[in-house]
Amino acid sequence: MWQCTSDLTTNRAYQGFVGRTNELDTLRGVLATAGPRVVHVYGITGIGKTALLDILAAEAEDAGASVIRLDCRHIEPTEPGFLHALGVAIGDGGSGVDTLVERLGLLGPTVLLALDTYEVFRLLDTWLRQVFVPLLPDNVRIVFFSRQRPLDVWFSAPGWGRLVQSVPVQPLSPTEAQTLLNLHGIQEEDAASLIRAAHGHPLALKLAATASRENHARSWPQETVLQHAVDELSRMFLADVEDSASRHVLEGAVVLRRVTVSLLQALFPELDPQDAYERLRRLPFVDGMHDGLIIHEAVRDPLARSLHASDPSRYLDYRRSAWRQLVSESQFAASDDLWRYTADMLYLIENPVVREAFFPTVTTLHSVEAAQPQDDEALTGIVRAHDGRQASELLLQWWRRMPQAFSIVRGATGEVEGLYCKLRSDQVEPSWLLNDPVTAQWYSHLEQSPMRSGEVALFCRRWLSLNEGDSPSEIQAAIWLDLKRSYMELRPGLRRVYLTATDLGAYQQVAQRLGFEVLGGWEVELDGLCYPSAVLDFGPASVDGWLAELAAAELGIKRDPALLDVEARQLMLAEGSVALTPLEFGVMRYLVEHQGKAVSRRELLQHVWGTRYQGGSNVVDAIVRTLRRKLGSQSARIETLTGVGYRLR
């Protein structure tokens, strides 16, 4: 049986910890032989979920269990991203899911796998529920800590029953709040107003205690909702930071998802960045991670809103400086680090359409999962209810040929409420594409505007809701969220997304903000209905380049004019356009796509001339000389790197 440690005061995890008796009792049971296999702990930001995890981990380790903690904020929300992070944590990086699961089974009689800040992992929820968790051996218990309550399908899966449990984290009681304030030096006679202001929210209580010690003549927010109280307390805390340099750095750093020394240097060039970093690290609501600092969002968000309202110009300048630094660093980021820059860039984008697409703040009641043979009747019924005979047969033909391309959407009770079909250009027979009038149009467009070797197009052939068809709905929103998982999995090879809908106009505003372009003249008529198409071209830098461009547009950053017109195969110079030969275009395109990076002659020979070319590298030098002549006043942008090759500045 699971035993609690006898002396709570001996572990640092318990210092400042108050209450949570019911929650802890449930969590202690997770490691009992007959306890639940999966536990979801959820509650609003700052309510104390991570503190509960600290206690659980400490007690598990004291009892001899192996504890593996993963912070989802720092993991790419894809299957490879998760497996890599888990492999690194257990010393078996680079292995597949079966090998890692086997390794977990060998770590000891009891293994606790805890995923913190799980709300940012919603893109991977279905895979974890359907594939990873069922594979876990009996000695492993997995606990999710999230702001959002778990989907109902976690509890309705056949055979799971009591194996899955949820633990909502509630505010502290008045007595517990009093105890916490006492620990922070607030006497009982001074605590009543603070308790009312903080609504039992632990982080709010700590902020109020700190501010109260600095200034007792305080008018605390009264009779307000919790979020407003936390906002007010955060601003009060900032006002009470006596060190003006720390306050200045904190005000700017709130525009960042992850604070690093280099980002602080970009935001505050007049300051010593390492000193600024250390000042932030000492603040009570800042967590130090291996790749930077995280300001607790319950404090960060209200301070960011306050700065935006009081000094919008400075707020914008900070975000622009951060954008420039992130773009510069991401060009040289290793593949393992790329997700951090993607997430950092996403945080700079305040467009709710983009932010919500990757990090939804609203808990959906629907789950998207791979369609199975037993879903045939429900899937066929939805298709035929909304599409005519010809359109239905075309879509169901894809179902018969490539069932793995279909996903279904389940409601809260497990019934099928929607579906969608997505195809990859590198995994589908061209003859099958040509047999469907819609995908045949996309195939023709790809032939007219070809992609580079190795690039992939994603075809979203159809999405349908049981009640709304292809019109905007909660079903469609769940489908589009699942598509973002495909975006992450396929980058940096994903170049384009094609889609169609009879109600495409209903998405016009959102689609335009995301960069989709309606393909005029490529419409298809089926059963008397028009099926227009739209395409999103991410550009040569794939999803990350697309996000950087979205952020630049939102921040009003004007990018340098394009040097190369890919469609026209011309140089775009101030003096006018200059035509290029096929080889000149190939070399220039490769240099542009790797701008700022060293490119070897061997790379150029391989990607421009082809792997079978047997000639010498002097042909590269000859093409570069002609390119420099055509570039004229900009010829110096192609630099020669002795012994290496070339670099486009």
Side-chain angles (χ1 to χ4, degrees), residues 604-614:
L604 289 168
L605 285 171
Q606 178 181 351
H607 290 278
V608 179
W609 277 262
T611 56
R612 297 180 180 178
Y613 180 75
Q614 300 297 319

Side-chain angles (χ1 to χ4, degrees), residues 424-444:
R424 287 177 48 169
S425 61
D426 60 337
Q427 294 182 348
V428 62
E429 289 287 341
S431 60
W432 292 357
L433 292 173
L434 294 172
N435 286 337
D436 179 341
V438 175
T439 55
Q441 292 286 66
W442 299 342
Y443 186 84
S444 297

